[in-house]
Amino acid sequence: MADAVTMDKIVSLCKRRGFVFPSSEIYGGLGSSYDYGHYGVLLKDNIKQRWMSSMVQERDDIVALDSSIILHPEVWKASGHVGGFSDPLVDCKFCKKRYRADHLEDAQCGQRPSKRPGETSDCDLTEARQFNLMFETSVGAMEETGVPVYLRPETAQGIFINFKNVAGIARRKPPFGIAQVGKSFRNEITPGNFIFRTLEFEQMEMEFFVPPAEADEWYRYWVDERYAWHRRYGIRESHLRIRPHDDDELSHYSSGTSDLEYLFPIGWSELEGIANRGDFDLSAHTAASGTKLEWVEQDGSRYTPHVIEPALGVNRSMLAFLVDAYDEEIVAERERTVLRLHPQLAPVKAAVLPLIGKSDDMSGRARKLYEELRQVISVEYDDGGQIGRRYRRHDEIGTPYALTIDDQTLEDDTITIRERDSLAQERISIARTREHVLDRLAEPWSSPKVDAA
Ligand code: GAP
């Protein structure tokens, strides 16, 4: 089913409201790079927090790690990235553009965008060449010897090489996991599609180490768990699906992978991957480093755990949440744009709005409420312009609750709480507002958005 939300609408809202800006814009921009403004940072932080909470805080079998971005270069040889982490590329000698050889069907000719590369008589495509996606740099001490180091293309390897450190002190035996959130870098040449695929991005990866005989069961468990996580934070069922990889799509390390796909404006595309990596990584690093990355039972028997890996991009997850939340409707004969984000993900949880900003009585009480709420949640005080305009600004950044202080507040110490999705308004006592908002934020939430026909 076609979705009415276009990427252009998302890009425009993100720029207008300060979620995402094109990177280096004053220098003409840099393809596939974006900067995150205030609300983008808050939204991304909330996604990371919810992920960490579901992995670490709500369970007792996963611990956290923060490993380096630059690792010993041998890590990437052992992992297979130096030899095999590449895309097949073709160059057009005529228009000087570079294309993924396996994505030519979806690409636009550099001279005639209505055509595909190779379709016009001027197109002059080279043979496909493998192009490694890792960014190379060098570390001072190693420069003379010319040994390259890489910016990590995934956070996962930092987890595998720390297996022994963590297993030794984590007071856990397999099955147990190590979770990590951090930046990764890939020299992606496929431009466009906003923050879906970028040169640098954040990943949330968890490596779950299990006894080999249990690997398949845990793989299926994590596919279900991760599907449920996206649903829990509001992604609509109609826009999320599980797609197991065919055998010929599997990565070199994987004996089974499923993508959780989201129906982005560009069509169904990978949101998160869940892979059964077997013992590939621990065995490869054991062989290359000489350090045994294995589990030793109390009776002295030993084995190399198998690994189940759910891997999700923060930025791609943010894009899915934005697309899923974006809605337009007509209210009182005016168009309203609203981000129906899960309240726990919303950058700002509540807006405190004195009806008449110039009224000292109203603004005094509003300020007091604002100061109280900001101790516990992300909240904004907004006294500029007409109340309708202020509501609409907060609708567009997805603020779930607007708290208005008006004439009646001065009489009976109640305020109006306006709910972003239903537009329902009710009066509650100012003294109970903090408790009321916290209670509502803790409630389960599902998207009221109606699928486009
Ligand atoms: N450790 C396994 C791994 O990195 P992946 O499928 O290449 O697997 C996992 O990446 C997730 O990271 C993807 O599902 C996607 O959400 C995100 N991701 C990968 N490349 C990305 C890019 N260039 N830009 C934004 N997100 C990316």
Side-chain angles (χ1 to χ4, degrees):
M1 185 199 303
D3 198 302
V5 180
T6 62
M7 201 69 103
D8 284 348
K9 286 184 177 176
I10 300 294
V11 174
S12 155
L13 178 111
C14 282
K15 177 115 199 269
R16 189 166 75 242
R17 292 300 180 195
F19 282 84
V20 183
F21 308 116
S23 181
S24 315
E25 202 178 7
I26 61 169
Y27 287 97
L30 175 68
S32 303
S33 286
Y34 291 89
D35 297 339
Y36 290 77
H38 182 66
Y39 296 125
V41 172
L42 297 183
L43 176 54
K44 249 178 346 124
D45 273 354
N46 291 340
I47 294 171
K48 288 185 275 187
Q49 271 176 28
R50 296 295 93 220
W51 186 88
M52 273 304 266
S53 171
S54 72
M55 287 291 176
V56 177
Q57 188 186 319
E58 294 171 21
R59 312 177 57 102
D60 54 16
D61 55 359
I62 299 179
V63 295
L65 179 76
D66 183 9
S67 69
S68 305
I69 285 174
I70 298 175
L71 304 175
H72 194 292
E74 291 298 322
V75 170
W76 305 108
K77 287 189 190 153
S79 68
H81 284 81
V82 169
F85 192 55
S86 51
D87 282 340
L89 300 186
V90 296
D91 290 308
C92 176
K93 290 195 218 156
F94 183 72
C95 73
K96 310 287 181 225
K97 277 192 76 177
R98 182 169 270 186
Y99 306 97
R100 283 265 300 259
D102 51 343
H103 288 178
L104 285 179
E105 290 296 301
D106 307 321
Q108 292 176 324
C109 167
Q111 290 292 310
R112 293 178 57 192
S114 61
K115 300 277 183 192
R116 288 197 293 275
E119 265 196 324
T120 80
S121 56
D122 286 334
C123 295
D124 186 5
L125 302 184
T126 61
E127 291 290 308
R129 293 180 299 126
Q130 290 299 326
F131 178 82
N132 197 293
L133 292 176
M134 285 196 292
F135 282 107
E136 221 176 283
T137 183
S138 53
V139 172
M142 291 178 175
E143 215 163 358
E144 307 82 68
T145 53
V147 179
V149 292
Y150 305 97
L151 302 187
R152 68 179 175 202
E154 62 172 18
T155 63
Q157 298 304 322
I159 298 181
F160 299 129
I161 60 173
N162 273 293
F163 175 77
K164 200 165 175 231
N165 288 333
V166 177
I169 50 116
R171 293 181 294 107
R172 287 166 177 86
K173 63 192 292 268
F176 79 93
I178 304 176
Q180 163 154 247
V181 178
K183 275 219 168 170
S184 294
F185 304 80
R186 296 183 190 179
N187 200 352
E188 305 271 8
I189 66 112
T190 318
N193 297 337
F194 196 37
I195 55 173
F196 179 82
R197 194 183 300 284
T198 47
L199 300 179
E200 57 182 276
F201 51 99
E202 286 174 281
Q203 287 187 307
M204 304 182 280
E205 297 197 288
M206 195 277 292
E207 310 301 325
F208 203 68
F209 301 93
V210 304
E214 298 174 21
D216 196 48
E217 183 190 331
W218 281 108
Y219 166 62
R220 280 183 275 113
Y221 168 87
W222 278 109
V223 172
D224 292 346
E225 274 294 292
R226 295 303 307 148
Y227 180 90
W229 184 87
H230 295 279
R231 294 276 296 123
R232 170 176 171 187
Y233 289 104
I235 296 288
R236 288 163 299 159
E237 196 177 4
S238 57
H239 281 56
L240 187 66
R241 71 180 186 194
I242 300 170
R243 189 183 69 80
H245 279 204
D246 294 331
D247 286 349
D248 60 355
E249 284 180 87
L250 292 176
S251 314
H252 57 283
Y253 52 73
S254 172
S255 57
T257 295
S258 287
D259 284 347
L260 298 183
E261 292 189 332
Y262 180 73
L263 185 51
F264 289 98
I266 53 173
W268 285 103
S269 309
E270 176 185 343
L271 171 60
E272 168 162 7
I274 298 105
N276 180 349
R277 300 180 71 120
D279 66 354
F280 177 85
D281 305 277
L282 293 185
S283 296
H285 288 303
T286 297
S289 69
T291 299
K292 285 186 178 154
L293 301 177
E294 55 185 14
W295 182 256
V296 184
E297 293 285 9
Q298 293 219 309
D299 65 4
S301 62
R302 43 185 74 218
Y303 66 89
T304 305
H306 283 206
V307 175
I308 313 303
E309 172 196 72
L312 171 63
V314 177
N315 319 65
R316 201 175 287 183
S317 177
M318 169 169 157
L319 180 60
F321 283 123
L322 285 170
V323 170
D324 219 71
Y326 186 98
D327 206 2
E328 291 167 346
E329 63 179 8
I330 305 292
V331 178
E333 294 176 12
R334 282 193 55 198
E335 192 165 280
R336 174 171 96 116
T337 300
V338 53
L339 277 188
R340 303 189 190 279
L341 287 168
H342 190 296
Q344 290 174 16
L345 297 182
V348 177
K349 310 299 183 213
V352 179
L353 314 171
L355 184 63
I356 301 166
K358 291 200 180 87
S359 153
D360 287 345
D361 281 346
M362 283 186 207
S363 59
R365 287 186 199 218
R367 275 260 158 216
K368 196 158 166 257
L369 179 62
Y370 166 67
E371 295 298 339
E372 182 190 348
L373 292 177
R374 70 190 292 193
Q375 308 297 319
V376 284
I377 50 171
S378 159
V379 56
E380 274 190 14
Y381 178 86
D382 191 352
D383 63 1
Q386 285 181 343
I387 192 74
R389 212 184 53 76
R390 284 181 267 165
Y391 281 152
R392 273 162 206 276
R393 191 178 90 77
H394 280 283
D395 286 342
E396 284 206 5
I397 63 168
T399 306
Y401 306 111
L403 311 170
T404 307
I405 284 78
D406 55 17
D407 284 323
Q408 197 178 326
T409 313
L410 307 181
E411 288 164 20
D412 64 5
D413 282 329
T414 63
I415 60 154
T416 304
I417 179 166
R418 169 190 182 267
E419 216 261 294
R420 175 199 68 199
D421 293 328
S422 63
L423 293 176
Q425 301 203 9
E426 69 177 290
R427 289 205 78 88
I428 57 172
S429 100
I430 202 163
R432 275 211 60 242
T433 303
R434 170 179 159 150
E435 193 187 335
H436 183 95
V437 171
L438 289 179
D439 283 351
R440 288 181 72 166
L441 284 171
E443 284 168 6
W445 180 91
S446 65
S447 175
K449 206 172 135 180
V450 179
D451 287 337

